[in-house]
């Protein structure tokens, strides 16, 4: 029998609505041990709450987060500006709530450390939102690597690219101001997406070099006058990973100015025995590298395309032959979160942990030091 879990959302914007929609689609999951119900939504903007009125399970719509913390929700999902993370996450934990937190899990590493400490004291179940690795193609690459088919790793590439800042006349908002987004800029906004799988597979860097790009210096402010943009738009990080005697390059990129990219997550792993790669730009296709015997030619190297279907971490009623998309990845992330909360995820791929989020912050700090000082930064412990 499924366990009933009451969910509250703080932050009724884009991601809050996506999460609400995912919960409404819960019957698409097959034999999941949890049955979530969205019961409360909070946003400081009353107009943002109107969208949620048509969801029959919602009992509380409020502009006061304390009303949510005092309520009977079991789990709180919080999607707010980065500078608000520490306060709201800490208050949720002290109120006895389990938490699915948005990345980057605090505005900087110091804030993340304090949240991790509070989570430890509270004993709450806490994970961090990172939905892109739940695409079936991403999971196919992860499972290929876990199988050992890669052999000795030669190189890894991971990244998240979009072009939202390509429009230089787009008005400034909080993601383009360090006071609200954090000094790490794009690495706070997108970094967890790119680091989630490498960290999960044990590829924490030992040292790194970074190039950070300040591409758009000003944007229109509220009155139309141009104001300073003080966050990094793009970050390219080149790291040494793996054991010292089997070191390999790990290339991680997060970009808000990536011409031609809509919203692209990718992962590529190559090794001495094989390789696999996936990009959400081609969401049905995984490419696998191997040596093949070509009749009449001989043994050649080949990247072969394989089409994946709809199935990811948790089985769904959707036909395996059909396509999967962003909303499906959100559903899978929540399926993993709530199953792991019940101790029933098994060896399936799980959500990003607080420790992985903290590691991403420390890697961003190292990248900033590399950029500022023009040096390669040693990382005796990224976690």
């Amino acid at each position: 029998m499924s366990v009933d879990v009451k969910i509250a959302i703080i932050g009724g914007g884009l991601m809050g609505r996506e999460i609400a929609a995912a919960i409404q689609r819960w019957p698409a999951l097959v034999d999941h041990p949890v049955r979530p119900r969205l019961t409360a939504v909070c946003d400081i903007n009353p107009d943002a709450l109107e969208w949620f009125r048509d969801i029959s399970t919602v009992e509380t719509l409020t502009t006061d987060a304390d009303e949510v913390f005092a309520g009977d929700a079991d789990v709180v999902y919080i999607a707010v500006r980065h500078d608000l993370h520490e306060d709201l996450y800490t208050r949720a934990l002290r109120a006895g709530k389990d938490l699915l937190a948005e990345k980057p899990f605090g505005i900087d590493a110091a804030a993340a450390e304090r949240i991790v400490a509070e989570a430890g004291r509270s004993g709450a179940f806490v994970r961090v939102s990172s939905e892109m690795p739940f695409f079936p193609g991403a999971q196919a690459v992860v499972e290929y690597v876990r199988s050992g088919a890669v052999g000795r790793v030669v190189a890894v590439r991971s990244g998240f690219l979009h072009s939202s800042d390509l429009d230089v006349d787009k008005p400034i908002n909080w993601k383009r101001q360090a006071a609200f987004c954090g000094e790490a800029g794009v690495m706070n906004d997108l970094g967890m997406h790119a680091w989630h799988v490498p960290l999960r597979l044990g590829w924490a860097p030992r040292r790194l070099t970074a190039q950070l790009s300040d591409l758009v210096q000003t944007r229109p402010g509220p009155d139309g006058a141009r104001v300073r943009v003080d966050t990094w738009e793009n970050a390219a990080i080149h790291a040494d990973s793996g054991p010292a005697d089997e070191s390999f390059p790990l290339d991680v990129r997060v970009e808000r100015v990536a011409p031609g990219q809509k919203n692209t997550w990718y992962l590529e792993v190559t090794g001495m025995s094989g390789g696999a790669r996936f990009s959400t730009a081609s969401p049905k296709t995984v490419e696998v590298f191997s040596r093949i015997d070509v009749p009449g030619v001989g043994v050649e190297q080949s990247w072969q395309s394989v089409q994946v279907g709809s199935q990811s971490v948790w089985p769904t009623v959707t036909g395996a032959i059909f396509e999967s998309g962003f909303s499906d990845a959100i559903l899978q992330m929540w399926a993993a979160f709530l199953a792991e909360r019940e101790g029933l995820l098994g060896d399936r791929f799980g959500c990003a942990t607080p420790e992985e989020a903290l590691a991403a912050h420390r890697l961003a700090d190292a990248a900033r030091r590399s950029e500022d000082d023009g040096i390669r930064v040693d990382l005796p412990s990224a976690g």
Side-chain angles (χ1 to χ4, degrees), residues 12 17 41 43 45-55 61:
R17 294 192 296 273
V41 182
D43 197 285
N45 178 9
D47 292 340
L49 299 173
E50 291 303 313
W51 185 89
F52 297 88
R53 288 194 184 278
D54 290 334
I55 300 176
L61 294 172

Side-chain angles (χ1 to χ4, degrees), residues 140-156 201 203 246 248 267-277 287-291 303:
V141 176
V142 169
E143 292 306 316
Y144 182 94
V145 172
R146 285 176 168 174
S147 76
V150 169
R152 176 173 176 172
V153 177
V154 172
V156 175
L201 293 176
W203 296 331
E246 292 190 0
F248 59 84
L267 176 66
E268 177 180 307
V269 183
T270 54
M272 297 295 292
S273 301
R277 62 191 181 195
E287 294 183 289
V288 178
F289 176 80
S290 62
R291 296 182 182 89
W303 279 102

Side-chain angles (χ1 to χ4, degrees), residues 171-182:
I172 198 165
N173 65 10
W174 67 266
K175 286 189 177 182
R176 288 135 189 99
Q177 298 177 74
F180 307 118
C181 179

Side-chain angles (χ1 to χ4, degrees), residues 245-317:
D245 59 344
E246 292 190 0
S247 182
F248 59 84
L250 169 60
D251 181 90
V252 172
R253 292 175 184 261
V254 285
E255 299 180 0
R256 289 191 188 127
V257 180
Q261 302 294 338
K262 194 79 168 181
N263 197 60
T264 300
W265 182 95
Y266 65 87
L267 176 66
E268 177 180 307
V269 183
T270 54
M272 297 295 292
S273 301
R277 62 191 181 195
F278 169 74
S279 168
T280 58
S282 300
K284 290 180 62 176
T285 303
V286 171
E287 294 183 289
V288 178
F289 176 80
S290 62
R291 296 182 182 89
I292 63 172
D293 189 1
V294 182
V297 176
V299 176
E300 295 288 353
Q301 302 176 74
S302 174
W303 279 102
Q304 302 172 71
S305 295
V306 179
Q307 291 205 355
V308 294
S310 66
Q311 300 303 298
S312 178
V313 170
W314 203 274
T316 68
V317 298

Side-chain angles (χ1 to χ4, degrees), residues 192 194-205 355-357 359-360 363 382-383:
M192 190 70 253
W195 285 114
H196 185 177
V197 172
L199 292 172
R200 181 60 53 86
L201 293 176
W203 296 331
E355 293 74 22
E356 288 167 341
L363 290 163

Side-chain angles (χ1 to χ4, degrees), residues 15-36:
M15 290 309 300
R17 294 192 296 273
E18 282 282 357
I19 299 310
I23 293 171
Q24 294 296 99
R25 292 184 60 223
W26 206 256
L29 299 170
V30 175
D31 296 329
H32 196 277
V34 174
R35 182 171 57 236

